[in-house]
Amino acid sequence: MNFKTHRQSYKIKKTIENPPEQWKIFRNTHEAIVDEDTFQRVQELRRNKRRPARTGKSNLFSGVAYCADCGEKMYYCTSRNFEERQDHFVCSTSRKKGKDMCGTHFIRAVVLEKGVLKFLQILLWYISDCEDLFRDKLGAKRKEDF
């Protein structure tokens, strides 16, 4: 409710999201069931929730994969009929707001896993081969952050 969405017509069932400026928020209309700290903590956990799909499958990158162009989360897509190589991630913006907002960005889960594994292998090679240089750069970065 609260004017977050609307429909063009009662005949067309597609829901259209309103921009946040048009939302109506009525604060403190009811007595709080939980304290503000608990509420904020739960909201943070919900933003980063990772649960298995309806098929019971889950992926290592669920909840942590983001679109390279728009920066929004990517949804893990799977099916009982999919082979493991068909599982994929798709951009949430293109799913929710349409392809004109962010063209369909898609990556297969196995490709993402192989890419991250390759990156980690290169990083570990760099650390082991150039340990002194890595230690110096890490120390400089920590000093800069401090």
Side-chain angles (χ1 to χ4, degrees), residues 4-5 11 20 28 37 52 63 92 101 104 110 115 122-123 129 133 145-146:
K4 287 187 178 183
T5 61
K11 294 179 182 179
N28 302 320
D37 292 337
S92 62
M101 296 298 284
T104 302
V110 291
I122 292 169
L123 182 64
D129 237 33
L133 180 61
D145 289 347
F146 182 70

Side-chain angles (χ1 to χ4, degrees), residues 38-80:
T38 305
F39 178 78
Q40 292 304 329
R41 176 73 178 131
V42 169
Q43 296 308 306
E44 180 63 31
L45 290 171
R46 289 196 58 184
R47 260 184 240 110
N48 299 313
K49 68 182 174 190
R50 291 169 52 175
R51 63 174 187 228
R54 290 183 192 139
T55 61
K57 294 183 192 177
S58 63
N59 188 279
L60 173 67
F61 299 106
S62 294
V64 294
Y66 290 87
C67 177
D69 289 335
C70 68
E72 292 297 318
K73 285 188 179 180
M74 296 189 83
Y75 293 146
Y76 178 58
C77 302
T78 186
S79 169
R80 283 184 173 77

Side-chain angles (χ1 to χ4, degrees), residues 2 28 31 33 51 72 75 98 112 114 116 118-119 121 127-128 138 141 143:
N2 295 341
N28 302 320
E31 184 179 331
I33 298 170
R51 63 174 187 228
E72 292 297 318
Y75 293 146
L112 182 60
K114 285 179 182 175
V116 170
K118 187 69 175 169
F119 176 77
Q121 288 170 338
I127 291 170
S128 64
L138 185 63
K141 175 78 171 122
K143 189 181 252 185

